[in-house]
Amino acid sequence: MAVTAEDVKKINPLVPIRAKVIKIVQETPDVKTFHISTMDDKKPFDPMPGQLGMLSLPAIGEAMFSVTNKGESHIEMAIKSVGQLTEALHEIEVGQEVGIRGPYGNGFPVDYCKGKDILFIGGGIGLAPVRSLIMHCIKNRDDYGKLTVVYGARSKADLCFKEDLFENWPKVPNMDVFVTIDREEEGWDGHVGFVPAYVEELAPKPQVTVLCGPPVMIKFTLPTLQKMNFKDQDIITTLELRMKCGIGKCGRCNIGSCYVCLDGPVFTMEQLKDLPPEY
Amino acid sequence: MKTVLKTKLPELFEKLANNYTVFVPAKIEGISRFAPYQNGLELALEENVLMPPKDIFFPQTEKMYKFKAKDQYLEIEDLPPEEGQQVIFGVRSCDLKSIDCLDQVFLTKGFVDAFYQDKRDRSILIGLSCVKPMENCFCSSMGVDPQKGVGADIQAYDLGDKVGFEAITEKGRELLGKIETLLVEEAASVPAVEKFVLTADIEGVPEKLKNMFDHPIWDDICRKCLNCSVCAFVCPTCHCFDIASEVRGEDGTKIRCWDTCMFDEYTRMAGGHQPRPGKKERVRNRFMHKLRYFPERYDMLLCTGCGRCVAKCPVNLDITAVIRKIKEAE
């Protein structure tokens, strides 16, 4: 049995369990996806889409990552190399033992999204958390309406989850996948341009949109979504701030009186409008 | 009321120390703080201690677990549990209220912090009433009764040359029973509290702050702040912490230590994104947290009016003046 959120609350939530990396996928030059199992080949915990896990190489550090997918006996985290810990993670090989604790955070409103057409918007590594919900919708395909993915990255090489984007997802019934890169390049005959403009051009008609990407993408996509007449409660995003404890105690991931690790990372535009713009 | 002469207190502590670790207000190398009682300790009962009791439950640096990391191998090992009951004597009302705030943070909202809970569960709190507020005290303005704190197992009263005891909880009654032979039952009245020099008018401030995030007042308030964090380190309610590793060869210990929103590192992310880039944002967060965010989340202020930050701030950034500026702001 995988550890549930309730179990985590009973044990010491700040102490990780020992786990191992069973597979590493090089997604882009600076993004790798790590498949992680417990030492006895089980899922370290059973996250809901959008929930987080604290991964550590204890001698170097510990950081919070979204769980991008889960399997029968593992979870997956897609990690971009940007700092001390993530650079070290990019050096490890299959078999590496790591510390892991979680799940943390609220996750995406999977029930609220049921029966609805969903537009997923991702930029760069921002597809990682969104992918957990996409995978959930695919797994429970009959529970959700039309799925539309609009994803962009700087270049072809920087596109994460290429197998999903070009092989797996286009085969899913009633699912469209649109991929764009920022600038023309040799060997790319797909769309070129930024995500917000592409969304506007495609003008899909979903009921709910789920977006995650760099702040600049979010900033320019929101006016587009507003033009598309989304209600604020139907614009859903997931945020990232520096975190240490993951349980709403250590203080640093606050936005106003909310803690991203506990009350987030998923917020609707309706909720964000009530919070100070400090993220 | 059961009383004891102040001169007899060492005897009382001595007796309790047979069964408990007894933390008492003491002067250690010129700094007043809570310290385990031992013979010859210089007690500090005349006024509140500089360092609040929070480090008894939430140490400035605390070991969390051990690990061994070699090549691909990792081992994670719990530390041996700490044992033994502890008595904390002489906690003033402001600091009792701060423990109430810390309880909210560490014990509620879904997750229980096991390190904090363990120390809290092993503790018996003896409050101590105040008669003469210190020059920077303003607890009564923050809804704290200087004569009687919240959450104590026993409330002790400063009766001049004596201390009176009133058991509040069952744990407290039991503890008083153990020192009964040292106590005298007599009629005693608790002296009135003298006038406060410092006051603050907090009425309506949390609500008013809801619309003051972008107010120009913060440019003014933050100007002289050095981001030195002494306010947070002497604060009985500040509870933010960092988690770090101490590594020696293959062996390591995970520790947590006090941290503060005054520091750039506190919120700066890998990759460089910084949601609170300057001291204005950090100073604003500190006061917003104490006066608006915490009341929103836990329905109580995160300032108990102990006055320590007022006393120790090197540039006299006085929270009562901040409250006044907020009140007066248009």
Side-chain angles (χ1 to χ4, degrees):
Chain A
M1 269 294 286
V3 177
T4 66
E6 282 310 307
D7 293 333
V8 171
K9 290 173 190 180
K10 281 178 214 138
I11 58 177
N12 188 329
L14 294 174
V15 180
I17 60 164
R18 185 177 165 214
K20 62 186 175 188
V21 174
I22 55 164
K23 185 180 172 186
I24 301 172
V25 180
Q26 181 97 41
E27 303 283 357
T28 78
D30 59 2
V31 175
K32 285 182 178 180
T33 299
F34 299 86
H35 295 230
I36 299 156
S37 284
T38 59
M39 299 310 289
D40 53 355
D41 303 312
K42 297 198 168 87
K43 230 180 319 204
F45 48 80
D46 192 14
M48 290 300 291
Q51 281 194 304
L52 309 168
M54 194 59 104
L55 180 66
S56 59
L57 291 169
I60 295 161
E62 188 178 36
M64 195 74 106
F65 301 100
S66 65
V67 181
T68 187
N69 191 24
K70 61 182 179 186
E72 278 310 306
S73 56
H74 76 280
I75 59 164
E76 297 170 21
M77 290 172 159
I79 296 172
K80 183 167 173 167
S81 175
V82 289
Q84 205 184 357
L85 173 67
T86 51
E87 276 167 22
L89 283 168
H90 273 246
E91 297 292 313
I92 66 171
E93 289 172 9
V94 168
Q96 174 70 44
E97 293 174 15
V98 293
I100 194 155
R101 54 191 180 91
Y104 299 121
N106 56 356
F108 289 110
V110 287
D111 288 333
Y112 180 77
C113 292
K114 268 188 187 159
K116 294 183 171 126
D117 295 343
I118 309 171
L119 167 63
F120 301 93
I121 303 172
I125 188 67
L127 186 58
V130 174
R131 179 170 175 255
S132 65
L133 181 58
I134 297 174
M135 298 306 253
H136 175 87
C137 293
I138 292 172
K139 210 169 172 184
N140 302 279
R141 191 64 201 90
D142 295 342
D143 291 346
Y144 298 91
K146 185 178 175 67
L147 306 177
T148 307
V149 177
V150 182
Y151 175 59
R154 280 172 304 185
S155 69
K156 188 180 166 192
D158 288 306
L159 293 167
C160 293
F161 314 113
K162 290 183 187 71
E163 203 183 323
D164 284 334
L165 292 171
F166 301 114
E167 304 287 329
N168 303 335
W169 294 348
K171 291 185 195 132
V172 175
N174 202 17
M175 178 166 183
D176 288 336
V177 181
F178 301 96
V179 180
T180 182
I181 59 173
D182 288 358
R183 272 176 290 277
E184 301 257 7
E185 67 178 60
E186 215 169 300
W188 177 256
D189 55 6
H191 189 275
V192 175
F194 297 121
V195 167
Y198 198 23
V199 171
E200 200 163 345
E201 183 188 322
L202 291 164
K205 297 267 178 290
Q207 286 133 319
V208 179
T209 184
V210 178
L211 76 157
C212 184
V216 61
M217 185 205 89
I218 304 219
K219 190 179 158 198
F220 287 106
T221 307
L222 288 178
T224 302
L225 296 175
Q226 270 151 357
K227 262 190 257 172
M228 291 162 71
N229 289 325
F230 275 105
K231 291 190 215 107
D232 285 341
Q233 71 259 34
D234 291 328
I235 302 175
I236 299 163
T237 189
T238 172
L239 299 178
E240 189 184 17
L241 284 180
R242 187 167 196 180
M243 300 176 195
K244 288 280 182 172
C245 74
I247 57 174
K249 320 282 188 209
C250 83
R252 57 179 51 57
C253 72
N254 80 296
I255 302 174
S257 59
C258 281
Y259 288 110
V260 174
C261 69
L262 191 61
D263 309 309
V266 175
F267 294 92
T268 65
M269 193 43 55
E270 189 182 27
Q271 291 168 317
L272 287 180
K273 278 189 172 167
D274 280 339
L275 294 174
E278 207 167 57
Y279 43 86
Chain B
M1 190 181 290
K2 297 211 186 291
T3 67
V4 66
L5 279 167
K6 279 184 181 169
T7 52
K8 294 261 192 192
L9 278 173
E11 212 176 303
L12 187 150
F13 297 146
E14 197 90 44
K15 193 169 169 71
L16 285 174
N18 291 328
N19 299 310
Y20 303 92
T21 303
V22 184
F23 286 91
V24 296
K27 203 146 211 179
I28 312 281
E29 295 179 315
I31 300 290
S32 58
R33 61 185 315 139
F34 287 89
Y37 179 79
Q38 52 180 321
N39 206 355
L41 197 69
E42 185 188 348
L43 295 178
L45 294 174
E46 291 315 304
E47 47 182 36
N48 199 6
V49 286
L50 171 64
M51 296 307 289
K54 78 173 171 190
D55 73 325
I56 297 170
F57 313 106
F58 172 48
Q60 181 157 9
T61 302
E62 178 169 30
K63 290 179 176 168
M64 300 169 76
Y65 54 90
K66 290 198 293 188
F67 59 86
K68 193 183 269 291
K70 190 185 181 220
D71 303 326
Q72 289 203 318
Y73 174 77
L74 173 68
E75 195 177 295
I76 295 167
E77 195 190 328
D78 285 334
L79 292 162
E82 288 173 36
E83 278 163 15
Q85 300 286 307
Q86 49 195 23
V87 172
I88 299 104
F89 171 86
V91 186
R92 307 290 178 157
S93 296
C94 53
D95 291 341
L96 283 170
K97 180 62 200 173
S98 77
I99 296 169
D100 188 20
C101 294
L102 297 176
D103 284 354
Q104 298 297 320
V105 172
F106 288 114
L107 303 178
T108 75
K109 301 281 180 199
F111 287 96
V112 168
D113 186 299
F115 301 105
Y116 178 87
Q117 186 184 37
D118 169 59
K119 294 177 184 61
R120 207 47 192 91
D121 286 349
R122 292 186 287 110
S123 298
I124 300 172
L125 297 176
I126 305 179
L128 179 59
S129 72
C130 291
V131 177
K132 187 175 162 43
M134 295 158 72
E135 61 175 346
N136 297 307
C137 289
F138 58 102
C139 72
S140 63
S141 299
M142 306 308 273
V144 170
D145 177 356
Q147 286 187 317
K148 191 164 185 174
V150 292
D153 295 293
I154 296 168
Q155 178 66 52
Y157 297 97
D158 188 335
L159 306 172
D161 59 346
K162 293 176 184 171
V163 173
F165 294 95
E166 179 193 355
I168 309 285
T169 66
E170 196 46 50
K171 263 203 297 196
R173 253 181 292 282
E174 215 173 287
L175 189 79
L176 274 192
K178 290 181 182 165
I179 48 171
E180 209 160 22
T181 53
L182 297 171
L183 305 177
V184 179
E185 179 69 47
E186 62 177 327
S189 61
V190 180
V193 183
E194 291 177 28
K195 197 172 160 29
F196 278 81
V197 183
L198 196 61
T199 58
D201 180 8
I202 193 70
E203 181 76 39
V205 166
E207 295 73 24
K208 188 169 182 185
L209 281 173
K210 283 185 204 300
N211 295 314
M212 289 183 67
F213 189 81
D214 293 317
H215 198 282
I217 197 173
W218 302 112
D219 295 301
D220 174 37
I221 289 171
C222 80
R223 194 166 297 127
K224 59 185 175 180
C225 178
L226 306 172
N227 281 156
C228 74
S229 278
V230 70
C231 50
F233 287 106
V234 296
C235 180
T237 68
C238 270
H239 56 263
C240 292
F241 60 87
D242 189 16
I243 295 176
S245 303
E246 279 173 352
V247 184
R248 212 168 273 172
E250 298 166 12
D251 295 301
T253 307
K254 211 72 172 168
I255 56 162
R256 69 168 169 190
C257 55
W258 295 353
D259 200 355
T260 123
C261 59
M262 294 289 101
F263 293 159
D264 171 70
E265 273 269 313
Y266 177 74
T267 44
R268 183 151 44 81
M269 297 172 70
H273 181 63
Q274 173 54 287
R276 290 198 277 268
K279 75 175 176 179
K280 175 178 139 183
E281 291 80 12
R282 290 176 215 143
V283 168
R284 175 174 60 194
N285 185 70
R286 175 175 171 77
F287 290 111
M288 280 284 199
H289 188 208
K290 298 219 163 281
L291 305 174
R292 173 192 150 186
Y293 302 155
F294 200 83
E296 279 177 2
R297 196 170 179 84
Y298 299 105
D299 202 23
M300 60 177 76
L301 293 159
L302 194 64
C303 172
T304 68
C306 75
R308 290 180 174 97
C309 59
V310 182
K312 287 295 160 191
C313 179
V315 295
N316 193 28
L317 182 41
D318 175 342
I319 189 169
T320 64
V322 172
I323 292 169
R324 193 164 53 245
K325 281 179 184 169
I326 294 165
K327 286 286 276 198
E328 288 167 0
E330 285 173 15

